[in-house]
Amino acid sequence: MLRAKNKTGLVFFPAFDWAISPTHPEREERLLYTQDQIIEEGLLDIPGITEYRARPATYEDIRRVHFCFPDERAVTTESHLISSGGCMVAADALMKKEVECAFALVRPPGHHATRIVYGNRGFCNVNNEAIMIEYIRDTYGVRKVAIVDTDCHHGDGTQDIYWNDPETLFISMHQDGRTLYPGSGFPTEFGGINARGTTLNIPLPPNTGEEGFLYVLDEIVIPALERFEPELVVNSAGQDNHYSDPITNMNFSAQGYATLTSRLKPHLAVLEGGYSIEDSLPYVNVGIILALAGLDYSHVREPRYDVEYKPQPRDITSFIQRLAKELNAYFVGEEHLRHCQSDGTIIKRSRCIHYDTDMIQDEQSELIRVCRQCAGAWCIHSRSSWGHKTLAVHNPRHSCPECTKTALEWFDQADKKTYQHVVLQDRANRTYVMK
């Protein structure tokens, strides 16, 4: 009798009554077709594969990660809360050892949602993976986590959230940002002043196929994970690298995704993108589930695969081999990771974040305290094109006394007449305070 080698949990939430618009690529049919395929393949009848029912996240869960303005209610729907909560259900099943791995097949997606949220960008409002990880940390005491983002688009929101966190390794392999939204994710983006080297970006050229993805997985991603030694590996499982995806330019197949999953062996996978609703997404998701469960996935084929799929061009193979060599030398080198600033120095970073879906511009100025004892206190002065002027202050988990003191001073000294919103996210003391 067929039985899963690895006990695998599935959480399925298609958000069947929510979409940005009826014809938007990120709409409910994405998972309704997958649901049909999972039932048709009989995956839920296999002993060792267990389906769990999603539940909504709370605003308190969101506040461990985000600063939402004007508030959480204004920037989320019930579907967003259940999508994040579904990931937390998968995490509970894993951490309670009911399963050995779990896949949260949920939408709306989340990896473009940054630390500060004014609305929707890149189809995302809140960051499902980050909400799940911070829930795990508070509930189960896990510290070192690695996130491997395999969506075709750079996971800029997740990168933003963990930019200053040395206990979170974020790796993103994606289509080169010079050719695709959000236009970021370059190797020189390697982490903030207190977390240098814990962000790795691997931009791949258009037309990269499974040969290229699996090559960088073996040559860069797996060695980086071995060096970091995380307690937990999370896969932001975007399926939009598929050759039939309508909004990207890559050359991955369902077999490629399944092989990548079997080699990566994530503890938790969370669905992100994937917009070839009928031709690829159901088959990619089925392949990933079989790979997680340790079952044979060699029979998984997309319709018309034999006609439409073309192997990765030779020039792309050569390019990726050179790229991997250069990136490996860069990532393991220490020269660019060194800094000469002494503890207590305040470093400033300015940037502009564009919300492509809701058409909002956010001008940010970030201050962070250099610290070798903890992740460092930081604050963000933010002004949105919708008129919000806010100050977001963060005191990190396991903060040192000096960083706690700095965070509290920034919060206490903020003039309420200058800002509409002043917020302290105190992760060390698990509080979220507004004035």
Side-chain angles (χ1 to χ4, degrees):
M1 184 178 181
L2 193 62
R3 178 180 291 274
K5 294 178 182 174
N6 309 317
K7 289 183 179 178
T8 302
L10 296 182
V11 178
F12 202 82
F13 177 63
F16 59 84
D17 59 351
W18 187 89
I20 294 173
S21 72
T23 57
H24 194 278
E26 207 297 282
R27 61 182 186 274
E28 52 268 49
E29 284 87 351
R30 289 183 65 214
L31 282 184
L32 294 177
Y33 279 98
T34 288
Q35 189 175 40
D36 290 345
Q37 194 68 29
I38 289 173
I39 293 172
E40 184 177 319
E41 298 283 349
L43 297 186
L44 298 178
D45 299 325
I46 297 175
I49 296 180
T50 304
E51 184 179 11
Y52 290 82
R53 178 169 295 188
R55 62 175 170 82
T58 65
Y59 293 150
E60 182 183 2
D61 295 323
I62 294 174
R63 288 172 177 174
R64 292 190 188 99
V65 174
H66 293 293
F67 298 88
C68 297
F69 300 116
D71 55 36
E72 293 79 13
R73 183 184 300 276
V75 300
T76 59
T77 66
E78 186 179 27
S79 293
H80 294 100
L81 298 178
I82 299 176
S83 184
S84 295
C87 299
M88 293 159 61
V89 168
D92 279 332
L94 176 79
M95 299 308 298
K96 292 177 181 175
K97 302 187 184 306
E98 295 171 5
V99 298
E100 294 162 88
C101 55
F103 188 8
L105 287 142
V106 296
R107 59 171 292 275
H111 78 147
H112 292 304
T114 58
R115 180 70 74 170
I116 289 179
V117 175
Y118 287 112
N120 185 303
R121 63 186 303 272
F123 317 160
C124 304
N125 286 56
V126 291
N127 195 297
N128 297 326
E129 287 89 341
I131 291 170
M132 175 185 74
I133 290 167
E134 295 315 305
Y135 167 75
I136 291 172
R137 282 174 160 153
D138 271 12
T139 307
Y140 299 101
V142 171
R143 294 188 66 153
K144 293 184 71 175
V145 176
I147 307 166
V148 181
D149 190 318
T150 50
D151 190 278
C152 193
H153 304 81
H154 174 228
D156 58 341
T158 310
Q159 172 174 298
D160 177 73
I161 290 167
Y162 290 111
W163 184 251
N164 295 314
D165 185 354
E167 292 186 337
T168 305
L169 174 65
F170 174 69
I171 303 174
S172 182
M173 43 201 299
H174 48 264
Q175 185 174 324
D176 193 313
R178 290 170 294 186
T179 64
L180 190 70
Y181 176 88
S184 56
F186 300 103
T188 50
E189 300 165 37
F190 47 72
I193 192 70
N194 297 326
R196 291 177 184 258
T198 58
T199 294
L200 303 183
N201 282 300
I202 307 169
L204 296 168
N207 296 319
T208 297
E210 39 251 63
E211 186 179 354
F213 277 96
L214 298 176
Y215 187 82
V216 297
L217 178 77
D218 292 340
E219 295 295 317
I220 301 177
V221 176
I222 299 295
L225 291 172
E226 291 173 348
R227 284 198 301 273
F228 188 71
E229 298 181 335
E231 298 164 64
L232 209 60
V233 176
V234 176
N235 179 205
S236 285
Q239 330 297 30
D240 47 0
N241 288 293
H242 194 268
Y243 63 83
S244 68
D245 198 276
I247 66 172
T248 62
N249 312 100
M250 299 301 248
N251 193 27
F252 217 17
S253 72
Q255 277 289 313
Y257 269 108
T259 304
L260 183 146
T261 303
S262 68
R263 294 189 192 178
L264 181 61
K265 296 181 173 58
H267 298 96
L268 292 163
V270 176
L271 180 68
E272 284 294 340
Y275 309 100
S276 179
I277 293 172
E278 293 181 70
D279 292 339
S280 80
L281 196 54
Y283 308 94
V284 174
N285 286 331
V286 165
I288 288 176
I289 293 168
L290 291 172
L292 286 172
L295 295 171
D296 178 24
Y297 51 80
S298 61
H299 62 283
V300 177
R301 282 283 188 278
E302 307 87 335
R304 301 186 297 279
Y305 172 87
D306 293 336
V307 177
E308 295 179 349
Y309 182 73
K310 294 180 175 55
Q312 178 176 289
R314 287 185 179 180
D315 61 327
I316 297 296
T317 300
S318 301
F319 179 88
I320 290 174
Q321 289 172 346
R322 292 196 301 274
L323 177 71
K325 189 175 181 179
E326 292 171 7
L327 292 181
N328 248 332
Y330 186 71
F331 290 155
V332 300
E334 295 185 355
E335 189 60 36
H336 67 291
L337 303 180
R338 292 176 184 159
H339 59 82
C340 56
Q341 289 88 354
S342 57
D343 279 14
T345 303
I346 304 298
I347 303 294
K348 183 176 181 179
R349 179 173 68 135
S350 298
R351 61 208 177 116
C352 178
I353 294 179
H354 176 60
Y355 288 66
D356 59 306
T357 312
D358 281 345
M359 299 304 290
I360 303 169
Q361 289 288 121
D362 178 20
E363 299 288 342
Q364 292 187 3
S365 176
E366 178 188 82
L367 302 177
I368 182 165
R369 182 181 185 275
V370 175
C371 185
R372 288 175 176 79
Q373 298 181 56
C374 70
W378 52 257
C379 68
I380 297 175
H381 302 256
S382 166
R383 182 196 296 267
S384 86
S385 57
W386 281 8
H388 296 284
K389 191 172 183 183
T390 65
L391 179 67
V393 180
H394 175 84
N395 189 37
R397 304 180 313 276
H398 320 298
S399 63
C400 71
E402 286 303 315
C403 281
T404 297
K405 179 183 175 185
T406 299
L408 295 178
E409 286 177 351
W410 280 333
F411 180 70
D412 291 340
Q413 294 170 6
D415 184 357
K416 190 67 176 68
K417 295 178 182 177
T418 304
Y419 303 99
Q420 289 171 279
H421 313 280
V422 179
V423 185
L424 171 64
Q425 184 185 61
D426 190 343
R427 290 288 288 123
N429 295 297
R430 302 185 182 186
T431 59
Y432 187 89
V433 186
M434 292 171 277
K435 71 174 184 180

